[in-house]
């Protein structure tokens, strides 16, 4: 009887998954439905998850609880009747309902483990095809993972609570139920049954204990304080989940069938990641001055094959073995990949992509405060002092710092700094200021990606970027997309003018065909860059000949630059706000109000990037203003 229920259990799980996939597919192709589903239900954030509950989140919770209800409904009555009947026939009248609860929680763990594994891979179809943000998939993963951990503990505590019942049995009755696995009879498991099947049944207590220990370690490292200060410990402890999956599949026969969809996606994900990381790419680290560095390398063009995403926001995971053998770090590229792919000649196999990063200095090492007592000073003198821990980016930057300074001809740098006819080329190949001496070193890197952030600024009339520090990388990519769009529109208008004048069907265009229409919605792009005065550097992308300094109408901004478009209805502006040394912080709400008042009417989208507190402040300002959509670029895990 229970075998048929186990098959029904697996069928129900796959039916639930199929319905979920169908709903996500409908959601992916209906933007209005997506906008409706992201509306918040509660303003307060959920504990542990740190996310606000939206309509889609509420529906997901109802859908998950419905699955739990169905599973409990088909299992509980049958398990209770089975264990109570078996115990009564053997003369055991206590603890039978507890055994049924142990088996039930195990089956609920099956489906929960299946949900935990599904959405977490970077190449997951949930994030790309179904247009789900990383934040959404991570929130679902965290919710189901915490639920799984709770169920595992409940499953273990129910078993521990049954042990006193076993100890209270007489010697003869103890030969009925084995303590190692009370869900079977004594003659069905070791030592009553010495066959391989009997040994496997007895081993379930040890596989369950191993999986529980691994889950406890993973849970402890997910706590915000530990995860924030010891991210590598969090990451590599998470890799123990590979062992946990193997062990737990040995623990429960139905576990493999429930985890199969997630395992397949996980294997595909790692296969693609290892395929991308197998080849080392040639690159350069360039010192831009004041602790700022540019990383330039060639991305194989085939990485963009079949990619229809034209979002200007893309990030990669970079591995540099000389800096760290085990670490991969996420970087947002300042290169607009769609335009770079179009501008790079088809005869070239690689696309130049660039990244910005800063030298963060030596990581703080906790130590004791200086003591006045002489004997303590002697002990401190002979004690082993921890070595300073350098950041990964510091080691990478140190390679350029140790390289000789160069200020010779452009040819030696391998970068084209002379191009000024195409504004985008100033971004993608002209990061270095020719007037400034610089140091540069050749390195080998491994690159995983790209991973695109679902964003389409071209749907909005005004795009505002509020960025702090190195968060300016995403703003540069958005500005590059804006310039590329306007350049194509001007080329299209010129082509149309020539076509009408000559009355011919077509004239060769200055640029290749584009998805942008001659009358695109996107008319204005404004970048607010908040940076410490001591860390400020003139970014070459915003220092071209066609960028003209102007007086900012905003009293809180010290420096403003605008791009000189031939189209007077379009504008790209950079506003630099220096902080530190008793300077006030950027007032995002005031800046947002100022831009919106200058361009009344039309839609507005804000890009927020920087420290979490900076992003949170920006999100609050955007929510307070009606008709403003926004995206906060967080690296939260």
């Amino acid at each position: 009887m229970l075998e048929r229920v186990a098959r029904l259990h697996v069928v129900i799980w796959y039916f639930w998954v199929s319905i979920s996939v169908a709903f996500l597919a409908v959601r992916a192709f209906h933007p209005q439905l997506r906008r409706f589903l992201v509306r918040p239900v509660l303003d307060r954030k959920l504990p542990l998850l740190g996310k606000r509950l939206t309509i889609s989140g509420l529906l997901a919770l109802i859908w998950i609880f419905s699955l739990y209800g169905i599973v409990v409904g088909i299992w509980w009555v049958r398990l209770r009747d089975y264990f109570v009947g078996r115990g009564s026939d053997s003369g055991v009248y206590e603890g039978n309902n507890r055994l049924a609860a142990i088996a039930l929680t195990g089956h609920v763990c099956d489906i929960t483990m299946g949900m935990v594994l599904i959405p977490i891979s970077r190449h997951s179809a949930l994030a790309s095809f179904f247009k789900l943000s990383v934040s959404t998939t991570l929130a679902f993963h965290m919710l189901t993972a915490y639920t799984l951990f709770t169920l595992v503990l409940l499953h273990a505590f129910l078993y521990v609570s049954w042990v006193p019942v076993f100890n209270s049995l007489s010697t003869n009755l103890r030969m009925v139920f084995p303590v190692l696995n009370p869900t079977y009879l004594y003659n069905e498991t070791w030592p009553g049954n010495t066959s391989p099947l009997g040994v496997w049944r007895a081993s379930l207590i040890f596989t369950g204990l191993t999986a529980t220990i691994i889950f406890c370690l993973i849970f402890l490292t997910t706590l915000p304080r530990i995860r924030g200060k010891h991210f590598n410990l969090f990451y590599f402890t998470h890799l123990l989940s590979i062992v946990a999956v193997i062990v737990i599949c040995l623990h429960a026969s139905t576990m493999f069938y429930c985890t199969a969809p997630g395992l397949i996606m996980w294997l595909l994900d790692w296969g693609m990641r290892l395929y991308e990381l197998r080849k080392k790419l040639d690159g350069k680290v360039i010192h831009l001055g004041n602790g700022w560095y540019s990383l330039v390398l060639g991305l194989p063009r085939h990485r963009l094959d079949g990619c229809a995403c034209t979002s200007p926001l893309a990030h990669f995971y970079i591995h540099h073995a000389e800096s760290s053998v085990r670490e991969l770090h996420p970087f947002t590229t300042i290169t607009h990949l769609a335009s770079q792919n179009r501008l790079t000649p088809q005869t070239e196999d690689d696309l130049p992509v660039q990244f910005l990063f800063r030298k963060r200095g030596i990581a703080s090492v906790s130590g004791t405060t200086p003591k006045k007592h002489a004997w303590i000073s002697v002990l401190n003198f002979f004690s082993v002092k921890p070595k300073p821990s350098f950041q990964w980016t510091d080691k990478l930057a140190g390679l350029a710092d140790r390289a000789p300074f160069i200020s010779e001809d452009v040819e030696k740098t391998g970068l084209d700094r002379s191009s000024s006819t195409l504004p985008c080329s100033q971004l993608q190949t002209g990061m270095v200021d020719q007037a400034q001496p610089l140091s540069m070193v050749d390195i080998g890197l491994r690159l995983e990606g790209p991973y695109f952030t679902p964003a389409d600024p071209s749907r909005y009339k005004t795009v505002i970027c509020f960025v702090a520090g190195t968060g300016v990388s995403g703003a540069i990519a958005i500005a590059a997309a804006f310039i590329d769009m306007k350049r194509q529109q001007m080329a299209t208008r010129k082509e149309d003018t020539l076509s009408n004048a000559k009355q011919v069907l077509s004239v060769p265009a200055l640029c290749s065909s584009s998805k942008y229409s001659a009358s695109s919605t996107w008319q204005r792009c404004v970048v607010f860059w908040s940076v410490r005065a001591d860390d400020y550097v003139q970014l070459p992308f915003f220092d071209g000949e066609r960028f003209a300094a102007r007086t900012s109408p905003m009293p809180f901004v010290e420096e403003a630059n605008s791009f000189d478009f031939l189209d007077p209805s379009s504008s790209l502006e950079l506003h630099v706000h220096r902080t530190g040394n008793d300077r006030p912080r950027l007032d995002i709400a005031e800046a947002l109000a100022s831009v919106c008042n200058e361009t009344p009417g039309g839609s507005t989208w804000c890009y927020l990037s920087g420290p979490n507190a900076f992003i949170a402040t920006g999100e609050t300002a955007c929510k307070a203003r009606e008709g403003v959509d926004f995206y906060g670029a967080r690296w939260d895990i």
Side-chain angles (χ1 to χ4, degrees), residues 233-244:
L233 177 63
F234 159 80
Y235 177 78
F236 288 105
T237 304
H238 252 62
L239 294 182
L240 291 175
S241 60
I242 303 172
V243 180

Side-chain angles (χ1 to χ4, degrees), residues 25-59:
V26 173
R27 172 191 175 278
F29 293 100
H30 289 79
Q32 294 182 350
L33 178 61
R34 290 201 303 271
R35 286 193 292 270
F36 171 76
L37 292 176
V38 298
R39 293 179 179 177
V41 177
L42 299 175
D43 292 333
R44 300 178 63 181
K45 294 184 178 180
L46 299 176
L48 290 179
L49 298 180
K51 309 292 182 182
R52 288 182 173 85
L53 182 64
T54 61
I55 295 178
S56 60
L58 180 61
L59 293 177

Side-chain angles (χ1 to χ4, degrees), residues 144-220:
T144 54
Y146 286 131
T147 303
L148 174 64
F149 180 68
T150 304
L151 290 172
V152 168
L153 292 182
L154 179 61
H155 184 69
F157 288 149
L158 286 173
Y159 170 77
V160 173
S161 68
W162 179 84
V163 174
V165 177
F166 174 82
N167 292 331
S168 65
L169 298 176
S170 63
T171 304
N172 293 333
L173 290 180
R174 289 185 185 183
M175 300 301 293
V176 178
F177 294 158
V179 67
L180 293 180
N181 193 343
T183 58
Y184 293 94
L185 297 176
Y186 184 84
N187 59 1
E188 294 176 330
T189 183
W190 185 88
N193 186 342
T194 58
S195 67
L197 180 60
V199 174
W200 171 75
R201 288 170 176 170
S203 68
L204 298 187
I205 181 63
F206 303 105
T207 54
L209 180 61
T210 302
T212 302
I213 293 174
I214 293 176
F215 285 136
C216 289
L217 291 175
I218 294 176
F219 171 76
L220 290 176

